[in-house]
Amino acid sequence: MERVLAESGVERTAVPPETSYLGELFRAARRALVDALLAGAERLHVPASVVKAFAWGLAALAILLIAWGLFTRWQRRRRKEGDEGSVAALSLPPVARDAAAWRAELERLLAEGAEGRVAEALEALWWWLARSLAGDRAEPDWTSRDLMVKARREDLRDLVRRLDAFTYGPRPPGVDDLRGLVGRLEEALS
């Protein structure tokens, strides 16, 4: 075997490739895209300068989309890091918190005044109401209607409908709208 290998001149040590698989894949995809653009431009009788401008525009769009994706990911990560002190960030299930803890969380979220935290404030508002009305019996799978029926508080129907409209409506409410609803709910609960 040694003699055959020596006579044939077969290289027995592995030589790493000059390029990577991903690099080759990218080059093949780029070549296919350029060929498709050139073929389409030729059929439509479009000047080469227009094709080049279109290709550069596509490249710029791709770069912008990647940058936007990275930026939003970075923002989410920063927002998560900032939530470490909140009740919602704790690993407690919602029903393990009492009405006072949910009220404190709601007040904290409203005090921040950040429009981006409206969904969290709506969740805290719903849980504060649920724990205030049903106490330990409140369940995560209850609808607002279930809450009113089980707590026997049909008098809150209009306020709870407003809460549902804020939660599931086409536009998120403002912080002032939430404060107004919280005030009306507090009046009705007292």
Side-chain angles (χ1 to χ4, degrees), residues 4 13 17 36 50 65 79 89 96 99 101 106 108 112 114 119 132 134 162 173:
V4 171
T13 57
V50 173
L65 287 173
R79 207 175 310 137
L106 174 60
R108 184 187 70 76
E112 284 182 9
S132 296
R162 188 73 183 144

Side-chain angles (χ1 to χ4, degrees), residues 6-87:
E7 287 176 6
S8 66
V10 171
E11 183 67 39
R12 296 189 334 187
T13 57
V15 177
E18 293 181 19
T19 60
S20 70
Y21 174 75
L22 288 178
E24 289 297 322
L25 189 62
F26 176 73
R27 276 188 276 291
R30 185 186 58 179
R31 173 57 34 213
L33 179 63
V34 168
D35 289 346
L37 283 173
L38 291 175
E42 188 176 306
R43 285 187 185 139
L44 296 174
H45 305 291
V46 176
S49 61
V50 173
V51 174
K52 283 183 182 179
F54 181 72
W56 281 108
L58 282 178
L61 179 63
I63 290 170
L64 286 173
L65 287 173
I66 290 169
W68 179 69
L70 291 172
F71 178 73
T72 56
R73 187 175 182 184
W74 174 73
Q75 277 186 322
R76 269 188 255 126
R77 184 174 292 147
R78 280 192 63 210
R79 207 175 310 137
K80 280 184 182 180
E81 290 171 1
D83 283 348
E84 290 175 0
S86 72
V87 173

Side-chain angles (χ1 to χ4, degrees), residues 99-145:
W102 279 111
R103 183 66 176 99
E105 176 70 1
L106 174 60
E107 195 53 45
R108 184 187 70 76
L109 290 167
L110 291 175
E112 284 182 9
E115 296 294 329
R117 308 291 300 270
V118 168
E120 294 172 50
L122 286 166
E123 180 184 10
L125 175 54
W126 192 92
W127 275 106
W128 165 69
L129 181 63
R131 296 292 290 188
S132 296
L133 294 176
D136 293 339
R137 295 178 303 135
E139 293 291 330
D141 61 346
W142 281 4
T143 63
S144 297
R145 176 81 179 131

Side-chain angles (χ1 to χ4, degrees), residues 106 109-119 121-122 125 162-163 165-167 169-182 184:
L106 174 60
L109 290 167
L110 291 175
E112 284 182 9
E115 296 294 329
R117 308 291 300 270
V118 168
L122 286 166
L125 175 54
R162 188 73 183 144
L163 174 59
F166 282 168
T167 303
R171 280 176 251 103
V175 173
D176 293 335
D177 297 326
L178 284 176
R179 285 188 189 282
L181 181 59
V182 169
R184 290 191 301 267

